Amino acid sequence: SFDKMNAAPLSGGATTNSSSTYGMTPEQASKNFDVLRREATKLERHLEDRVARYQQLAQRLTVDNNNSSSDNDPLGQQSSLMIDSGGSSYTTNPSQTNKSNLDEEEATLSKDIHRTMSTMTELINTKMAPAAERTGRSQHLLLVKRYREILFDCGADFNKTSAAVARRREAKELFRGATAGNGGGGGGANPEMEQLLRERNAIDNSMKSANSVLNQAASVRTELRSQGASLRGVGGTMAAIAGNIPGLNGLIDKIRKKRQQDDRVVSGVVAACILFTLWYLFG
C-alpha cells in the first residue's frame, strides 16, 4: 500500500483559518489570502502527487490483468514482490495477494484523492474567493481561477483513469465468468455471460451513436452561429442604410432649391436683355 503520512495534515489544513475576514484592512486581508494560498499550494501538490500515483497504479493493474493468465507458469510462481509499507518490506506471492494489495491501494488512493479534492474545493470556494474579492487585487482573482483550473484538470484526469480501471476490472470479471461457465458446462456457453456481453456491446453501440449525434449537433450549432453572425451583419448594414436615407433626402432638397434659384437668375437676365433691346429700338 502507499504512504498515508502526508494525507492527514493536508486534509485538515484547510480548516486552520477562520472563514470570515470581515473588518480586516487591505493589508490584513492580503496576509490572510497569502496564508490561504500556501494551504492551496500544499493541497495542489498533494493532489497532483496522488493523481500521478493513481495513474501509475492503474498501469500496474492493467499489467497485472494482462499477466493474470500466466499464474500457472512455474517461473512466475517462484517470483516475489517487494511491497513498501512505511519503510518496512516483506515478500509475498504475486498472485491473489498482489491483486488484493493493488485493490486496497487503489481504494485508499481513490478515497484520499476524493478527500483532497473536497477539501481544496471548500478552501477555494468558501475562503480564497471571498478573500480575493476583499483584497481587490486582480492577481488574487487570477490565482483563484488558476487553482480552480488545476482542480478541474486533476479531477478530469482522475475520473478518466478511474473509469479506465473500472472498465478493465469489469472486462476481466466478464471474461473470467465466461471462462468459468464454459469450463463447468461441458463446453456449452454460459447464457448469463453471453447476455451481459450482448448488453455491453449494445451499450457501446449506443455510446457511439450518441457521440455521432453530439458531433452532428456541434457542427449544426457552429453553422447556426456563423449564419447568425452573417444575419447580424446584414441587419447592421440595413440599419446604416436606413439611417443615411434622411441625409439623402436633405441633399436632394438642397439640389432642387439650388436649381430653382439658378432658373430665377436666368429668367431675370433674359427679361432684362429683352427690356434693354426694346428700350434701345424704340427709345
Side-chain angles (χ1 to χ4, degrees):
S1 61
F2 74 102
D3 186 9
K4 302 180 183 178
M5 297 299 293
N6 294 330
L10 288 173
S11 62
T15 60
T16 58
N17 291 289
S18 173
S19 61
S20 174
T21 58
Y22 289 104
M24 288 186 177
T25 62
E27 292 78 8
Q28 293 174 342
S30 179
K31 292 180 180 179
N32 181 69
F33 183 85
D34 291 337
V35 174
L36 297 175
R37 179 181 57 79
R38 286 192 290 269
E39 293 183 8
T41 302
K42 292 180 181 179
L43 289 173
E44 172 195 348
R45 294 175 180 173
H46 181 76
L47 180 60
E48 290 178 347
D49 176 71
R50 290 300 183 265
V51 171
R53 295 181 65 176
Y54 189 84
Q55 291 175 344
Q56 296 176 357
L57 179 63
Q59 295 179 356
R60 291 169 57 191
L61 286 171
T62 303
V63 173
D64 181 72
N65 291 339
N66 293 334
N67 295 334
S68 60
S69 60
S70 62
D71 290 340
N72 295 327
D73 188 4
L75 295 177
Q77 292 178 355
Q78 294 176 0
S79 62
S80 62
L81 176 66
M82 304 299 293
I83 300 179
D84 185 11
S85 178
S88 63
S89 61
Y90 61 94
T91 305
T92 183
N93 194 303
S95 57
Q96 298 297 329
T97 305
N98 184 29
K99 181 179 181 300
S100 62
N101 288 335
L102 291 178
D103 291 339
E104 291 177 1
E105 185 174 356
E106 188 271 335
T108 307
L109 269 175
S110 179
K111 292 179 181 178
D112 188 15
I113 291 172
H114 282 295
R115 182 173 61 251
T116 305
M117 289 177 62
S118 176
T119 304
M120 191 171 179
T121 301
E122 182 180 1
L123 175 67
I124 293 173
N125 294 334
T126 63
K127 294 182 179 181
M128 288 192 70
E133 292 178 357
R134 292 187 183 95
T135 58
R137 296 183 180 180
S138 59
Q139 58 267 30
H140 290 171
L141 297 175
L142 292 176
L143 278 175
V144 172
K145 182 180 179 181
R146 172 182 171 273
Y147 282 121
R148 284 176 174 165
E149 292 176 352
I150 292 173
L151 181 61
F152 177 80
D153 293 338
C154 291
D157 293 339
F158 169 69
N159 292 332
K160 182 179 180 180
T161 308
S162 178
V165 171
R167 287 194 299 269
R168 289 282 184 179
R169 188 172 297 165
E170 291 172 359
K172 183 179 178 182
E173 293 296 331
L174 284 174
F175 287 111
R176 178 187 299 173
T179 304
N182 292 333
N190 190 343
E192 294 182 356
M193 290 299 106
E194 290 183 355
Q195 180 65 23
L196 289 175
L197 290 174
R198 284 195 297 268
E199 291 180 357
R200 182 180 180 184
N201 291 332
I203 292 173
D204 290 338
N205 294 331
S206 299
M207 292 295 295
K208 291 179 181 178
S209 301
N211 290 332
S212 176
V213 172
L214 290 175
N215 292 332
Q216 292 178 1
S219 62
V220 171
R221 180 185 180 186
T222 303
E223 185 66 21
L224 289 176
R225 282 187 173 180
S226 62
Q227 292 180 1
S230 300
L231 291 176
R232 284 192 293 270
V234 172
T237 304
M238 295 299 295
I241 293 174
N244 292 330
I245 287 176
L248 294 175
N249 293 333
L251 180 61
I252 292 173
D253 291 337
K254 291 180 180 179
I255 293 173
R256 185 182 297 109
K257 292 179 180 178
K258 183 66 175 176
R259 290 182 62 182
Q260 290 178 356
Q261 291 178 357
D262 293 341
D263 292 341
R264 293 192 187 97
V265 171
V266 172
S267 300
V269 171
V270 171
C273 291
I274 292 173
L275 292 176
F276 179 77
T277 303
L278 290 176
W279 174 77
Y280 181 74
L281 293 175
F282 303 101

